[in-house]
Amino acid sequence: MAALPLTDSFGRVHDNLRVSVTDRCNIRCFYCMPETDVHFVERREILDFEEIERFVRIAVGLGIRKLRVTGGEPLVRRDLPTLIQRLCAIPGIQDLALTTNGVLLPKLAEPLYRAGLRRINVHLDTLDRQRFLQITRRDEIDKVLEGLALCRQLGYSKIKINAVAVKNLVEPDIVPLARFARENGFEVRYIEFMPLDAQSLWDRSKVLLADDIVAMLSREISPLVPVPDPDPRAPASEYQFADGVGRIGLIASVSRPFCLNCNRLRLTADGHLRYCLFAIEEDNVKTLLRSGAPDDEIAALIRRNVAGKWIGHEINSTRFVAPPRPMYSIGG
Ligand code: SAM
Ligand code: SF4
């Protein structure tokens, strides 16, 4: 008999899991990590491939169908293609994607493709070397661009570019990024800056709002027309350029929260389960995985986590409390 779907107390069915495979990273985006003295968990605290695969199999048994591998920077995890191959082989996974900063793609895009990966989001906020350096505190833009070109050549499908929208910083990049994407068949997803940085730099005035981005692109390139979404639970609102060339996505977590449609769960690299990016509480899966607990017990913990999910984050309320983990430690 098929298991009941993973449903929370508000009726939201969960079929989407994000698995972070490391909290380490080879660059230092200011809206995610501190510049120095980053606190990483010890290697023995990070789930190994057997543990990740087992957890995913159990979650698939409960109805998870979409998987995204993330981090930290997932490409710094040793032997990542082996893990991808193992995850691809799990019956029931209908969609496997990866989010990366792209720096190691020149080396790994091909092994990952051979391992079965087809969908990739590459994080790139700007085409300007100086601003890239200012944002990431590393001079690695050439490798990201090379990696993107290689992914295209290899035949990855629907390559997306993740760009974080920070006000008074990336306005000059919004249009060039969209033009670059249109020329190369990529889709940019502009993500409103969220209060998940490690240095408490966020405040509302630093968020470049989705509506302002739409206005800018419509004025400078071609009007944007909303596209009916085949998956209304996806976080991005999709728009098509009226001239027919390309689309963009907007992840308006701050100005238009989409919590009511949320179908996502997150497993951190150190084995904690979170029902929301902004969750304050989480469940320790690693202890169960490492103490010989049977699959049923782990499945019950997943169900409990989902059952306890809140209605949504409260970024727009005075009650908002930022989560104790910054973005790199949760897995974006
Ligand atoms: N290192 C990979 C990367 O940068 O794509 C994967 C992990 S990163 C935490 C996942 C995504 O989170 C990034 O693509 C970036 O767009 C987004 N991100 C990071 N910090 C953010 C913040 N404070 N607000 C909004 N998006 C953020
Ligand atoms: Fe690293 Fe990604 Fe965080 Fe940037 S957003 S510091 S690339 S984990």
Side-chain angles (χ1 to χ4, degrees):
M1 202 174 68
L4 290 171
L6 268 178
T7 311
D8 70 12
S9 62
F10 303 96
R12 294 171 294 197
V13 175
H14 290 66
D15 62 0
N16 190 316
L17 173 68
R18 297 183 172 224
V19 176
S20 172
V21 293
T22 182
D23 61 346
R24 288 164 200 251
C25 189
N26 43 4
I27 60 177
R28 292 284 180 277
C29 307
F30 74 87
Y31 41 68
C32 176
M33 280 202 172
E35 182 163 14
T36 53
D37 301 324
V38 191
H39 170 74
F40 296 118
V41 293
E42 290 188 36
R43 284 183 196 278
R44 65 185 147 79
E45 299 301 332
I46 300 286
L47 297 187
D48 65 25
F49 288 178
E50 280 69 32
E51 291 165 337
I52 294 174
E53 188 187 338
R54 179 170 176 225
F55 179 84
V56 172
R57 279 184 191 277
I58 296 169
V60 167
L62 298 176
I64 293 295
R65 294 290 171 265
K66 294 180 84 170
L67 201 60
R68 178 170 294 275
V69 173
T70 182
E73 173 46 38
L75 270 51
V76 304
R77 177 81 192 243
R78 193 175 304 148
D79 279 340
L80 185 71
T82 305
L83 176 67
I84 294 293
Q85 196 171 20
R86 289 169 69 160
L87 295 176
C88 280
I90 297 178
I93 295 286
Q94 290 167 359
D95 183 45
L96 176 70
L98 175 89
T99 302
T100 170
N101 64 30
V103 173
L104 289 172
L105 279 175
K107 210 168 94 189
L108 286 168
E110 192 172 355
L112 287 167
Y113 193 87
R114 266 191 273 117
L117 185 70
R118 293 293 179 270
R119 291 220 306 116
I120 199 155
N121 285 43
V122 180
H123 173 194
L124 177 67
D125 301 327
T126 176
L127 298 172
D128 178 273
R129 176 180 301 276
Q130 269 316 313
R131 206 148 32 249
F132 185 95
L133 182 60
Q134 182 188 356
I135 293 171
T136 67
R137 297 134 163 174
R138 298 288 186 274
D139 187 14
E140 298 282 24
I141 190 168
D142 292 341
K143 289 193 193 129
V144 182
L145 294 174
E146 190 190 330
L148 268 167
L150 180 58
C151 286
R152 185 174 162 219
Q153 204 183 316
L154 286 165
Y156 278 92
S157 55
K158 292 196 272 176
I159 300 166
K160 292 184 178 141
I161 294 179
N162 283 3
V164 181
V166 184
K167 198 166 171 142
N168 296 326
L169 180 66
V170 300
E171 284 85 343
D173 303 302
I174 299 294
V175 170
L177 262 186
R179 291 214 163 100
F180 169 73
R182 274 158 54 98
E183 282 158 19
N184 287 283
F186 307 144
E187 178 180 322
V188 188
R189 325 205 102 192
Y190 300 95
I191 308 172
E192 288 180 347
F193 177 24
M194 294 182 272
L196 291 167
D197 60 287
Q199 295 167 291
S200 305
L201 299 171
W202 186 92
D203 73 59
R204 252 193 109 74
S205 69
K206 299 192 180 109
V207 183
L208 178 56
L209 300 173
D211 285 349
D212 295 338
I213 295 172
V214 171
M216 220 183 278
L217 293 171
S218 297
R219 198 170 54 237
E220 302 279 332
I221 299 182
S222 162
L224 282 166
V225 186
V227 181
D229 203 328
D231 178 4
R233 294 180 308 159
S237 317
E238 301 269 337
Y239 291 79
Q240 165 97 44
F241 285 105
D243 66 5
V245 186
R247 312 176 147 207
I248 61 147
L250 289 161
I251 303 192
S253 323
V254 179
S255 64
R256 275 182 256 141
F258 36 84
C259 305
L260 294 179
N261 286 326
C262 183
N263 62 350
R264 285 173 294 286
L265 285 177
R266 292 182 152 81
L267 182 66
T268 64
D270 61 347
H272 288 73
L273 186 62
R274 302 173 60 83
Y275 55 63
C276 176
L277 254 181
F278 296 95
I280 303 294
E281 28 177 74
E282 49 188 31
D283 283 305
N284 188 339
V285 183
K286 183 175 58 192
T287 303
L288 288 189
L289 286 167
R290 293 189 176 172
S291 65
D295 288 3
D296 283 358
E297 208 175 314
I298 293 165
L301 178 135
I302 300 175
R303 284 203 185 281
R304 249 194 339 270
N305 186 273
V306 173
K309 181 162 174 154
W310 59 20
I311 191 160
H313 66 66
E314 297 193 316
I315 297 179
N316 294 310
S317 126
T318 49
R319 290 186 300 273
F320 177 71
V321 180
R325 291 174 183 258
M327 190 62 133
Y328 71 92
S329 153
I330 299 171

Short mmCIF file of all heavy atoms in Angstrom, two decimals, residues 25 27-29 31-33 71-73 101 123 328, ligand 2:
data_model
loop_
_atom_site.label_atom_id
_atom_site.label_comp_id
_atom_site.label_asym_id
_atom_site.label_seq_id
_atom_site.Cartn_x
_atom_site.Cartn_y
_atom_site.Cartn_z
N CYS A 25 32.62 26.49 1.52
CA CYS A 25 32.49 27.18 0.24
C CYS A 25 33.83 27.75 -0.17
O CYS A 25 34.66 28.07 0.68
CB CYS A 25 31.44 28.29 0.36
SG CYS A 25 31.06 29.00 -1.25
N ILE A 27 34.02 30.57 -2.09
CA ILE A 27 33.95 32.02 -2.17
C ILE A 27 33.22 32.52 -0.91
O ILE A 27 32.86 31.72 -0.05
CB ILE A 27 33.30 32.51 -3.50
CG1 ILE A 27 31.87 32.01 -3.66
CG2 ILE A 27 34.14 32.10 -4.70
CD1 ILE A 27 31.16 32.54 -4.91
N ARG A 28 33.00 33.81 -0.80
CA ARG A 28 32.49 34.36 0.47
C ARG A 28 31.45 35.45 0.23
O ARG A 28 31.65 36.60 0.64
CB ARG A 28 33.66 34.97 1.28
CG ARG A 28 34.68 33.98 1.82
CD ARG A 28 34.13 33.24 3.03
NE ARG A 28 35.06 32.28 3.58
CZ ARG A 28 35.23 31.04 3.12
NH1 ARG A 28 34.56 30.60 2.09
NH2 ARG A 28 36.10 30.23 3.71
N CYS A 29 30.34 35.11 -0.43
CA CYS A 29 29.31 36.12 -0.72
C CYS A 29 28.88 36.81 0.58
O CYS A 29 28.55 36.12 1.55
CB CYS A 29 28.09 35.48 -1.36
SG CYS A 29 28.51 34.49 -2.79
N TYR A 31 26.25 38.26 1.52
CA TYR A 31 24.88 38.07 2.02
C TYR A 31 24.64 36.66 2.55
O TYR A 31 23.51 36.27 2.85
CB TYR A 31 23.84 38.41 0.95
CG TYR A 31 24.21 37.91 -0.42
CD1 TYR A 31 24.27 36.57 -0.71
CD2 TYR A 31 24.56 38.82 -1.42
CE1 TYR A 31 24.65 36.11 -1.94
CE2 TYR A 31 24.95 38.37 -2.68
CZ TYR A 31 24.98 37.02 -2.92
OH TYR A 31 25.38 36.57 -4.15
N CYS A 32 25.73 35.89 2.64
CA CYS A 32 25.61 34.50 3.08
C CYS A 32 26.63 34.19 4.16
O CYS A 32 26.29 33.69 5.22
CB CYS A 32 25.79 33.60 1.86
SG CYS A 32 25.79 31.84 2.19
N MET A 33 27.89 34.53 3.88
CA MET A 33 28.98 34.16 4.79
C MET A 33 29.71 35.37 5.32
O MET A 33 29.77 36.39 4.64
CB MET A 33 30.02 33.36 3.99
CG MET A 33 29.68 31.94 3.77
SD MET A 33 31.20 31.04 3.44
CE MET A 33 30.58 29.39 3.46
N GLY A 71 24.35 23.55 -0.92
CA GLY A 71 25.34 23.66 0.15
C GLY A 71 25.15 24.98 0.89
O GLY A 71 24.06 25.56 0.81
N GLY A 72 26.17 25.47 1.46
CA GLY A 72 27.55 25.64 1.08
C GLY A 72 27.71 25.48 -0.42
O GLY A 72 26.76 25.59 -1.18
N GLU A 73 28.92 25.20 -0.81
CA GLU A 73 29.15 24.97 -2.24
C GLU A 73 29.26 23.47 -2.49
O GLU A 73 30.26 22.85 -2.12
CB GLU A 73 30.42 25.73 -2.69
CG GLU A 73 30.85 25.43 -4.11
CD GLU A 73 29.69 25.45 -5.12
OE1 GLU A 73 28.80 26.29 -5.01
OE2 GLU A 73 29.69 24.59 -6.02
N ASN A 101 27.83 27.65 -7.15
CA ASN A 101 28.37 28.97 -7.53
C ASN A 101 29.16 28.90 -8.83
O ASN A 101 29.63 29.92 -9.32
CB ASN A 101 29.21 29.57 -6.39
CG ASN A 101 30.46 28.74 -6.09
OD1 ASN A 101 31.04 28.09 -6.95
ND2 ASN A 101 30.90 28.79 -4.83
N HIS A 123 24.91 30.24 -9.71
CA HIS A 123 24.75 31.50 -9.00
C HIS A 123 25.70 32.54 -9.59
O HIS A 123 26.91 32.36 -9.57
CB HIS A 123 25.06 31.21 -7.53
CG HIS A 123 25.09 32.40 -6.67
ND1 HIS A 123 25.62 32.39 -5.40
CD2 HIS A 123 24.66 33.66 -6.88
CE1 HIS A 123 25.51 33.59 -4.87
NE2 HIS A 123 24.93 34.37 -5.75
N TYR A 328 24.56 29.59 4.31
CA TYR A 328 25.50 28.54 3.91
C TYR A 328 25.37 27.30 4.79
O TYR A 328 25.71 26.20 4.38
CB TYR A 328 26.95 29.05 3.93
CG TYR A 328 27.53 29.30 5.31
CD1 TYR A 328 28.24 28.32 5.99
CD2 TYR A 328 27.36 30.53 5.94
CE1 TYR A 328 28.75 28.54 7.25
CE2 TYR A 328 27.88 30.77 7.20
CZ TYR A 328 28.58 29.76 7.85
OH TYR A 328 29.09 29.99 9.10
FE1 SF4 B 2 29.10 30.20 -1.02
FE2 SF4 B 2 26.71 29.99 -2.20
FE3 SF4 B 2 26.95 31.21 0.16
FE4 SF4 B 2 27.95 32.39 -1.97
S1 SF4 B 2 25.77 31.95 -1.62
S2 SF4 B 2 28.99 32.14 0.00
S3 SF4 B 2 28.62 30.68 -3.15
S4 SF4 B 2 27.31 29.09 -0.24
#
